[in-house]
Amino acid sequence: MEKRVRFAPSPTGAIHIGNIRTALFNYLFSRSEGAKLILRIEDTDLTRSSKDFEKLIFKELNWLGIEWDEGPDKPGDYGPYRQSERLHIYRQYAEQLIKEGKAYRCYCTPEELDKDREESVKRGDIPRYSGRCRHLTKEQEEEYLRQGRKPSIRFIIPDDVIIAFDDMIKGRIEIKSDTLGGDMIIVKSDGMPTYNFAVVIDDTLMKISHVIRGEDHIYNTPKQLLIYEALGFKPPVFAHAPLILGPDRTKLSKRHGNTYIGQYREMGYLPEAMFNFLSLLSWSPEDNVELMSKDEIIKKFNFNKIHSANPVFDIEKLNWMNQHYIQMSSVDRIVDLAIPYFKEAGYIKDVDDKTYEWLKKVVSLFKDGLHYVAELKDKAKMFFDDDIEYDDNLKDDILCGDAMKVLKSFKEEIENMEDISEESVKTLLKMLQKKIGVKGKAFFMPIRFAITGQDHGPELVMIIPLLGKQKILYRIDKAMKLIS
Ligand code: GLU
């Protein structure tokens, strides 16, 4: 049988890292097993779904390089691939279940259901549907309709059975039907199918062989299995991937930082770093080599080796990986990524060829130390503003002793210099130390501090030519005023 997997996100929020990891596992399964990957948009929750969130799903998957074979934008034999376009299909199966006595119309109002829930909580029971509408007569139904009640459709959950399945990651799972909340709604009163119902029909009609999703769905699986059985469908193989945790070992959420993948893109994390990092959440290659290209990951990936323990989202590891991929990137690529940050910060407007060449030199100074590209906004700030801020804590320790003498003589030399290049600056600094008799730290630190405001950073011979005469003179004057 042909292997087919699917990624089935709901466009009800900016796509979460956990969902992207599910997409990635489906992708890696498909590419390593020769399976087809289907993208299905589960947009039946009308109030929470939006086209904008759907667009983000496409955007982030494309960014990461997760390609699918069939989907809303890729015609296939089993479409449409958006649930909102498949309502007629679900309706037909719901009718079938009613006819066969496996489902029924429920006219309970939200108020009645709330009251039931309150009472079961009072009794200390797990809330479950009372079954009030299970055996309505035709007359009772007509009466409810006359009252203007809109029915939902409930599927009958049998009492006292154990539903079991073998999960590819979690192993054997057995769940008692009594814990499932009673007869479940499969079609809401607005006519929309619920997730547990639509998913079974779609996975069956789309010929999905393996369902790979987050373990937060594990309690949905027995409900779905009952529907498979009722409709006479053969269930797929299930694999529930362990949820990603934050550093405090609770489910990864906004409290831990960014959970929308696009926030990482926007900060200048590279897609290959993210792809590599996410692939290692719950999986590791046999040779334990962690830095891998997409092709290497696909080659080494083995779905049977996914661990069942919950992985922790370790931002430091991501930073380390991203730093590696930034180092491996061309300067041009990093400059192109940095330009929007520089524009946003008001550092630059339009970039002509000359500015681009200059930016390349500036970015090169920091490139290999970056965790993510947006860090350049702070790190390279001194190259853009005329003014810089001097670190007050350092001021007195650095601008003392011979500092005035150093700055004055340095200023004079720079003023008269025609060509400020790496070479000429190197010569100048050497010459000046001899001439004024101040050497080493006592010489370099006041200059560095005066022109950068800090006591560390890239080498002076690199910084000075890139800053240019005007900025240097302005800053030296400013620092000298701090002394006097
Ligand atoms: N729409 C569901 C979700 O995003 C899909 C779950 C599944 O893969 O079955 O959680």
Side-chain angles (χ1 to χ4, degrees):
M1 197 178 84
E2 193 196 9
K3 285 185 183 164
R4 290 168 61 84
V5 291
R6 80 325 187 253
F7 174 51
S10 303
T12 51
I15 188 161
H16 190 279
I17 292 271
N19 279 323
I20 287 284
R21 203 268 306 240
T22 299
L24 183 66
F25 276 178
N26 276 287
Y27 175 74
L28 290 174
F29 181 94
S30 75
R31 294 309 178 254
S32 62
E33 302 264 340
K36 287 260 156 51
L37 174 58
I38 286 83
L39 174 63
R40 183 174 70 228
I41 300 293
E42 304 209 322
D43 57 349
T44 53
D45 186 339
L46 294 179
T47 49
R48 292 172 59 226
S49 299
S50 87
K51 278 280 169 210
D52 286 340
F53 290 139
E54 183 183 306
K55 276 189 204 135
L56 292 184
I57 294 170
F58 287 89
K59 179 172 178 170
E60 306 310 343
L61 292 176
N62 283 325
W63 176 70
L64 261 189
I66 293 180
E67 302 112 11
W68 52 96
D69 305 294
E70 296 165 29
D73 59 337
K74 285 223 174 122
D77 293 340
Y78 305 97
Y81 295 95
R82 227 181 242 109
Q83 287 190 326
S84 58
E85 293 163 20
R86 302 171 63 79
L87 301 179
H88 56 290
I89 304 175
Y90 311 126
R91 213 164 289 142
Q92 178 192 321
Y93 284 102
E95 287 302 330
Q96 180 188 325
L97 288 174
I98 294 178
K99 234 182 251 150
E100 293 172 357
K102 295 169 181 168
Y104 57 89
R105 292 200 168 74
C106 168
Y107 297 85
C108 292
T109 60
E111 293 75 32
E112 283 170 335
L113 296 172
D114 282 348
K115 205 165 153 242
D116 288 351
R117 202 167 301 126
E118 270 166 36
E119 276 166 15
S120 49
V121 170
K122 251 188 238 156
R123 284 195 307 272
D125 295 342
I126 308 170
R128 71 200 297 264
Y129 178 60
S130 64
R132 191 185 297 121
C133 295
R134 231 196 228 192
H135 303 291
L136 293 181
T137 61
K138 218 165 166 228
E139 290 70 37
Q140 281 170 311
E141 289 209 40
E142 273 162 13
E143 171 54 26
Y144 281 141
L145 287 173
R146 249 197 309 277
Q147 291 173 9
R149 294 197 187 194
K150 283 217 155 85
S152 57
I153 300 176
R154 283 190 189 264
F155 175 80
I156 297 177
I157 301 272
D159 289 329
D160 275 339
V161 298
I162 288 176
I163 304 140
F165 63 101
D166 291 304
D167 188 276
M168 277 184 86
I169 299 173
K170 302 261 158 197
R172 180 106 184 136
I173 292 188
E174 297 186 350
I175 293 173
K176 284 201 189 107
S177 64
D178 300 16
T179 62
L180 300 178
D183 296 347
M184 71 166 153
I185 295 183
I186 53 174
V187 178
K188 290 178 278 183
S189 56
D190 65 1
M192 296 305 266
T194 55
Y195 156 70
N196 278 315
F197 183 53
V199 78
V200 169
I201 293 165
D202 289 345
D203 284 342
T204 302
L205 298 183
M206 294 181 184
K207 298 214 160 49
I208 301 303
S209 61
H210 295 72
V211 164
I212 303 166
R213 60 186 171 206
E215 73 181 352
D216 48 337
H217 284 292
I218 232 164
Y219 277 90
N220 286 322
T221 307
K223 297 179 187 171
Q224 294 171 19
L225 283 168
L226 290 172
I227 296 177
Y228 276 102
E229 195 184 307
L231 289 172
F233 294 157
K234 180 176 175 292
V237 176
F238 290 98
H240 289 92
L243 294 187
I244 307 171
L245 306 181
D248 60 356
R249 304 203 61 83
T250 63
K251 188 179 161 194
L252 186 68
S253 73
K254 286 203 179 116
R255 280 183 301 115
H256 298 112
N258 295 331
T259 54
Y260 162 45
I261 182 97
Q263 288 164 310
Y264 291 89
R265 179 175 41 72
E266 283 160 9
M267 285 166 78
Y269 284 87
L270 303 181
E272 63 267 41
M274 210 65 196
F275 191 103
N276 191 164
F277 173 74
L278 291 176
S279 77
L280 293 174
L281 294 175
S282 299
W283 172 73
S284 44
E286 260 163 42
D287 56 16
N288 279 322
V289 174
E290 295 206 290
L291 294 168
M292 292 173 285
S293 68
K294 181 175 162 184
D295 286 344
E296 285 167 333
I297 294 170
I298 291 173
K299 218 176 271 162
K300 294 181 188 180
F301 190 77
N302 179 351
F303 198 84
N304 295 317
K305 290 277 152 59
I306 289 189
H307 327 298
S308 61
N310 294 92
V312 171
F313 189 92
D314 178 356
I315 186 77
E316 282 175 24
K317 182 165 175 182
L318 174 60
N319 283 341
W320 166 74
M321 282 199 162
N322 203 47
Q323 179 171 11
H324 165 78
Y325 287 105
I326 290 175
Q327 288 170 1
M328 306 295 284
S329 299
S330 68
V331 182
D332 286 40
R333 181 185 186 196
I334 305 305
V335 171
D336 292 342
L337 287 171
I339 285 173
Y341 306 124
F342 293 156
K343 283 189 175 166
E344 184 192 287
Y347 296 165
I348 51 173
K349 285 206 178 77
D350 299 320
V351 180
D352 56 17
D353 290 353
K354 207 174 133 220
T355 311
Y356 194 85
E357 285 310 308
W358 175 77
L359 282 175
K360 274 172 79 167
K361 290 182 189 152
V362 170
V363 168
S364 302
L365 293 180
F366 304 100
K367 177 174 164 278
D368 286 356
L370 295 175
H371 289 136
Y372 49 92
V373 183
E375 281 180 335
L376 278 172
K377 234 177 4 188
D378 274 345
K379 291 202 182 214
K381 191 169 192 278
M382 63 168 158
F383 287 98
F384 299 98
D385 293 348
D386 277 333
D387 257 326
I388 46 170
E389 281 182 33
Y390 293 102
D391 186 335
D392 263 344
N393 298 322
L394 299 170
K395 199 177 75 186
D396 294 339
D397 285 341
I398 297 175
L399 298 180
C400 59
D402 288 324
M404 193 59 162
K405 187 164 146 193
V406 172
L407 294 181
K408 228 173 161 173
S409 56
F410 178 69
K411 183 186 165 191
E412 272 168 28
E413 295 294 337
I414 290 287
E415 258 169 348
N416 296 320
M417 234 169 141
E418 284 300 320
D419 151 57
I420 305 186
S421 67
E422 228 178 285
E423 272 313 302
S424 63
V425 171
K426 207 185 244 170
T427 317
L428 166 71
L429 293 177
K430 220 184 255 168
M431 181 278 284
L432 210 50
Q433 290 182 74
K434 259 198 208 124
K435 186 170 155 191
I436 64 173
V438 183
K439 284 198 172 40
K441 219 172 152 189
F443 174 79
F444 287 111
M445 208 42 108
I447 299 178
R448 172 179 292 284
F449 187 70
I451 64 177
T452 71
Q454 291 156 10
D455 63 352
H456 62 275
E459 286 190 55
L460 276 182
V461 291
M462 318 271 262
I463 301 177
I464 293 168
L466 290 177
L467 274 175
K469 202 182 252 191
Q470 193 199 330
K471 279 197 177 63
I472 295 175
L473 295 178
Y474 178 84
R475 292 177 189 178
I476 298 274
D477 274 339
K478 199 171 162 189
M480 290 200 306
K481 273 187 206 125
L482 286 178
I483 302 179
S484 47

